[in-house]
Amino acid sequence: MKREDFSDLAVFLAVAEEGTFTRAAIRLGVSQSAVSHTIRRLEASLGFRLLNRSTRNVSTTESGEKLLAILRPGIGQIDARIEELRLVKDRPRGLIRITTAPDVARRLLWPVITGLIRDYPEIRVEVNTNSRVVDLAESGFDAAIRLAETVGPDLIAVPVGPMLRMAAVASPAYLAARGEPLCPADLAGHDCITMRFGADTAPYDWEFERDGQESVRKVKGPLIFNDGDLCMAAAREGYGIAYLLLSEVQADLDSGRLRRVLTEWCPPFEGYKLCYSSRRQMTSALRLLVDRMRYRG
């Protein structure tokens, strides 16, 4: 392998992780055309295709997946060693301001930041819990934890959790009285416990998919919340069907307090990512937080 191929491999890794040439270019600080040219050059050098291209995104070929499996552990070890050397020179310090939804702050962020401030007393962390997607630069935040689908193209995003799945749930008493919906269209005849993420936004539409067929439902019911715990409590009390992350309701499903419906219409999707601006210089404190939160499952 030629020496320049090693830097090209780093570009390939960025494209594979970001899913588009555009986001990879922002992450690397180069033009989109430079990224595209590098990938073509690398494929020509290796003698096989690494990526399948479409108008909106790219995906790895079978050969590309095998190459990724080789690259990720090696580059991860290199990054970790470089970070150790950097920390010796520049001990992390200062304030990290991060925003995310309340349940994400409790489940994903809290276990990490408690260890972080214990190991590095000069780091301070401010956590703002807000379900709305805010502009990081305008709001003065260093980072946010968001679902992958809400991450803007100008942000670098690092996975911090596994794939997720939604769950439509109701109490056994409600389903005994009202019946079980067999397809998303049946929700029109049910009370649905909806969520509104901002005072000036419409209630969240429920999105379903089965065998490539998508169904988006504008549901309605007697209750609207901006908090998942309240939706779950209302579902337990029999006020209707709630639509929440499976991980949030799993304990209630296991205990029998809630039952799941429309299961086959809720496929897995990309989970939470920690995102930060590609235009701001990354502090050693934020770099350390990103490394500790990175999902490696």
Side-chain angles (χ1 to χ4, degrees), residues 35-250:
V35 171
S36 179
H37 175 74
T38 298
I39 295 299
R40 288 197 301 269
R41 181 176 64 204
L42 180 61
E43 288 178 327
S45 175
L46 295 175
F48 51 83
R49 288 182 61 196
L50 297 170
L51 299 170
N52 295 311
R53 284 88 159 166
S54 71
T55 55
R56 298 186 61 181
N57 52 34
V58 296
S59 61
T60 51
T61 63
E62 182 178 355
S63 297
E65 279 296 318
K66 292 179 180 178
L67 182 57
L68 277 179
I70 298 170
L71 285 177
R72 280 186 171 130
I75 290 181
Q77 290 178 15
I78 293 171
D79 287 342
R81 298 295 82 78
I82 291 175
E83 182 62 23
E84 289 177 1
L85 294 172
R86 181 181 290 114
L87 296 182
V88 170
K89 177 179 179 295
D90 179 19
R91 185 166 179 82
R93 67 187 67 203
L95 175 66
I96 304 171
R97 300 189 71 231
I98 186 167
T99 179
T100 190
D103 62 304
V104 179
R106 289 189 294 268
R107 291 186 295 105
L108 296 179
L109 185 58
W110 175 247
V112 175
I113 62 175
T114 51
L116 187 67
I117 61 176
R118 180 189 63 240
D119 297 340
Y120 298 91
E122 294 180 66
I123 289 180
R124 294 179 298 133
V125 181
E126 177 184 340
V127 180
N128 176 279
T129 54
N130 192 329
S131 296
R132 298 190 66 179
V133 175
V134 299
D135 185 279
L136 296 186
E138 290 183 2
S139 304
F141 291 108
D142 299 297
I145 301 177
R146 299 174 178 168
L147 286 173
E149 63 185 27
T150 65
V151 176
D154 59 333
L155 298 177
I156 298 172
V158 176
V160 294
M163 298 284 283
L164 298 176
R165 192 186 294 264
M166 298 297 293
V169 296
S171 69
Y174 174 88
L175 295 175
R178 300 289 296 273
E180 180 176 329
L182 301 180
C183 67
D186 292 344
L187 293 172
H190 283 269
D191 291 332
C192 296
I193 303 162
T194 56
M195 290 190 69
R196 188 198 307 270
F197 294 116
D200 56 349
T201 61
Y204 174 69
D205 293 339
W206 292 7
E207 301 175 357
F208 300 92
E209 183 180 343
R210 180 182 181 183
D211 299 329
Q213 177 187 352
E214 296 182 357
S215 178
V216 180
R217 313 305 303 181
K218 292 185 178 296
V219 298
K220 60 181 181 178
L223 294 167
I224 302 174
F225 298 113
N226 70 340
D227 182 274
D229 288 342
L230 289 174
C231 290
M232 190 158 45
R236 290 194 203 106
E237 295 296 323
Y239 287 101
I241 300 173
Y243 194 52
L244 300 163
L245 287 172
L246 178 59
S247 57
E248 294 178 293
V249 299
Q250 190 62 62

